[in-house]
Amino acid sequence: MAKKWSWRRTVGCLGVCLAVVAGVVAWFVVAVAKPRLANQREIEGLAAPAGLDWNDPSHVDSMLTVLADLLVARPANAGISIGVTRNGRRHVVFRGVTSKDDHGTDVDDSTLFELGSVTKTFTGVALAQAVVDRQMSLDQPIAELLPASQQLPDAVRSITIGALATHTAGLSSNPPSVSFLASLFKKHPFGGVTDRDAFESLSQIQFEESVAREYNYSNFGFMLLGRLIEEGTGEGYARLIEDRVAGSLGMRHTWVAPPEAERARLATGHRVGHPVEHWYEFELPGASGVVSTVSDMLTYLEAHLHPEATPLAAAIRLAMEPRVRASDDVEVGLGWHIYTVPDVPQVVYHNGATMGFRSYVGMAPELDLGIVVLGNSRDPTINAIGRLIMRTLTGNEERGG
């Protein structure tokens, strides 16, 4: 005879569950949150050591070294590359290792990092070039580029390419097939999302066509955008980014699908000190699929600071043009965010994160200043370092994006 379930057993089971939850929360606070917060506070409170001056070009390398050393001193963190270009002069510092296991080597100028959402700026430039070449239009409804057989509500069919590129299409942050928990803990939450998944998700969206759609940051929108640019141009996304964008700007180590010879240069990502799976070679990479080096990314920013010196001048200017407002002081271009407040230089920026990497890129065009910070750990302090450098050199600090 089965034992009767008593209230004592119920209370006991609830107690065990609460104890497990409390243990997980305690682990998170001790192993993840507390070290990260301590590191960020240390970064945010950092002042130039005695005798060092951010305004003295000869001292910038020393300051970047202080910041890099601070990050890699944390046991869970692996490596970091920091680059600053100012008035045509570059400053680059490398610290840490490509992997915390026995196979890791020192981070250097050849180390490839996942860029995460900084990829969206590449997608924006590729779209802008397609517009310049009259292959696509920002006012073009997405229905014109989707399979004719795809059944969609009229309100979804009328979403424009420009709305996808400015996060104003009314789409969710992640594809509906990727749950919130999967985005936090799955090794590669976007890896299994296919064209079919994305298109079917569109068919299930319900909103009124007449409703004004406000800014809502959307990985899903850029995953779709990358796919639709392929349809509009007749070229694969990898070729568009590696040849038409990076190749045209002289970036020789920027990839969507790294060839075998380049993969040995790709750093291993880390989360809380443990290696994680890479995020590349998936079907819809337009939101987070690019890998690059700090030198290539400095070249990328220098092209944006001086587009007239590049073959993509019109596209770069179009991509950086503010189009919609995300908040009181932030506007959005094609992928880029533009932070503007009175009396300080404007900042154009984006940051990124994958399961084991963080990235920050930012520019102050008025100061001929560009900043790149790439790290193969998920620690958000990597972004904080970029923001600190930007704040220190411009007096302006962007938010979000």
Side-chain angles (χ1 to χ4, degrees):
M1 181 180 295
K3 291 184 179 180
K4 187 177 180 180
W5 190 269
S6 68
W7 66 269
R8 291 185 178 87
R9 294 181 69 186
T10 300
V11 171
C13 288
L14 287 174
V16 170
C17 291
L18 289 173
V20 170
V21 171
V24 171
V25 171
W27 168 84
F28 180 83
V29 170
V30 173
V32 182
K34 188 175 179 180
R36 287 183 178 178
L37 287 172
N39 205 7
Q40 284 190 269
R41 287 174 185 144
E42 193 171 4
I43 292 289
E44 291 164 0
L46 188 68
L52 293 182
D53 180 1
W54 277 104
N55 293 315
D56 185 337
S58 66
H59 291 178
V60 173
D61 289 340
S62 298
M63 283 302 304
L64 300 186
T65 299
V66 169
L67 292 169
D69 285 341
L70 205 58
L71 182 89
V72 299
R74 300 286 175 175
N77 292 335
I80 187 170
S81 293
I82 307 177
V84 172
T85 176
R86 184 163 59 161
N87 298 321
R89 178 172 178 170
R90 289 187 178 188
H91 308 265
V92 182
V93 168
F94 311 103
R95 281 294 184 276
V97 292
T98 58
S99 176
K100 292 181 72 65
D101 62 24
D102 294 337
H103 304 291
T105 59
D106 290 343
V107 170
D108 60 24
D109 195 45
S110 70
T111 303
L112 289 166
F113 294 84
E114 293 178 5
L115 299 183
S117 285
V118 174
T119 296
K120 294 179 177 68
T121 70
F122 286 84
T123 302
V125 173
L127 170 61
Q129 187 60 50
V131 171
V132 170
D133 292 340
R134 300 187 178 182
Q135 296 174 301
M136 299 176 70
S137 165
L138 297 180
D139 296 325
Q140 186 174 13
I142 64 172
E144 293 184 6
L145 297 168
L146 290 169
S149 61
Q150 187 68 45
Q151 299 296 313
L152 296 173
D154 288 343
V156 175
R157 294 177 64 84
S158 65
I159 292 173
T160 66
I161 294 296
L164 288 180
T166 54
H167 302 285
T168 54
L171 301 182
S172 57
S173 175
N174 292 326
S177 58
V178 177
S179 69
F180 174 73
L181 287 177
S183 68
L184 287 178
F185 297 110
K186 190 176 179 181
K187 289 183 178 180
H188 192 341
F190 300 152
V193 180
T194 64
D195 288 5
R196 181 176 179 179
D197 295 330
F199 297 158
E200 287 182 355
S201 294
L202 282 176
S203 69
Q204 297 166 11
I205 292 174
Q206 295 182 354
F207 48 57
E208 297 295 329
E209 187 170 5
S210 59
V211 174
R213 295 164 198 156
E214 298 180 348
Y215 171 88
N216 183 52
Y217 188 85
S218 178
N219 291 308
F220 182 31
F222 267 78
M223 292 168 75
L224 286 166
L225 181 60
R227 180 68 183 87
L228 296 180
I229 296 172
E230 291 182 323
E231 292 296 319
T233 62
E235 295 188 51
Y237 183 80
R239 183 175 179 184
L240 285 167
I241 301 305
E242 293 170 3
D243 295 345
R244 293 186 67 177
V245 178
S248 295
L249 299 178
M251 302 166 66
R252 304 305 177 197
H253 301 288
T254 297
W255 310 97
V256 176
E260 196 64 38
E262 289 282 296
R263 293 188 186 186
R265 302 170 56 184
L266 186 59
T268 298
H270 297 80
R271 182 172 185 170
V272 199
H274 300 289
V276 296
E277 182 180 317
H278 282 299
W279 282 24
Y280 63 83
E281 289 189 343
F282 49 110
E283 200 161 319
L284 298 172
S288 60
V290 176
V291 301
S292 189
T293 66
V294 70
S295 290
D296 260 19
M297 291 307 297
L298 287 173
T299 297
Y300 185 60
L301 293 188
E302 288 165 351
H304 282 72
L305 292 169
H306 301 282
E308 70 283 353
T310 78
L312 301 182
I316 289 173
R317 292 192 184 102
L318 182 63
M320 290 199 297
E321 181 181 327
R323 298 188 168 275
V324 300
R325 186 161 291 283
S327 66
D328 289 343
D329 45 26
V330 177
E331 294 174 282
V332 184
L334 303 181
W336 287 107
H337 289 69
I338 302 103
Y339 183 75
T340 308
V341 295
D343 304 322
V344 291
Q346 184 185 75
V347 173
V348 182
Y349 68 98
H350 213 297
N351 55 43
T354 63
M355 197 58 66
F357 291 81
R358 292 275 182 174
S359 59
Y360 171 94
V361 297
M363 297 172 281
E366 298 169 46
L367 301 180
D368 195 13
L369 170 68
I371 299 164
V372 178
V373 185
L374 307 176
N376 57 326
S377 307
R378 196 171 166 82
D379 190 338
T381 306
I382 292 163
N383 294 334
I385 288 173
R387 292 162 64 89
L388 170 68
I389 299 170
M390 182 64 74
R391 181 175 70 246
T392 304
L393 295 180
T394 67
N396 193 352
E397 183 177 9
E398 81 297 335
R399 300 167 188 169

